[in-house]
Amino acid sequence: MFNTLLDAPVQPEQPSVLMSLLPFLLIIVVFYFFMIRPQQQRQKALNSFRDKLEKGSHIVTTGGIYGKVVKVQDNKVTVEIADGVNVVFDKSAILEQAEPQQ
């Protein structure tokens, strides 16, 4: 009697599709909230800052050049980097606001 019970094939339970996909879904959700969403918020703030640029603002470019905005056009910004030295940058090259240089 015990031999017949032991010889019977055991059918393992099949995990549900949801349980097998749950770890991947959790990874995607965590990835979104810790990486993608904060980056989108930073990009939105940066675009807002670039749109609000005005004459007299002190800025830093992506290349690390500090200067003062002299003129703002559609996609161009003229920046004074030294007395009488003006350089034209694309708005996408403006990185952040800087402290006024003395």
Side-chain angles (χ1 to χ4, degrees), residues 27-72:
I27 289 171
I28 291 170
V29 167
V30 167
F31 187 74
Y32 175 77
F33 281 108
F34 284 106
M35 306 244 339
I36 296 172
R37 190 164 181 259
Q39 180 62 31
Q40 287 175 340
Q41 290 175 339
R42 271 184 254 132
Q43 189 65 39
K44 189 182 291 186
L46 182 60
N47 288 339
S48 173
F49 165 71
R50 288 175 179 161
D51 289 338
K52 294 177 184 176
L53 277 176
E54 58 187 22
K55 183 177 178 180
S57 300
H58 292 270
I59 53 99
V60 179
T61 66
T62 55
I65 298 173
Y66 287 75
K68 182 172 73 172
V69 175
V70 176
K71 184 178 176 184
V72 179

Side-chain angles (χ1 to χ4, degrees), residues 68 70 75 80 99:
K68 182 172 73 172
V70 176
N75 289 329
E80 182 179 36
E99 295 296 320

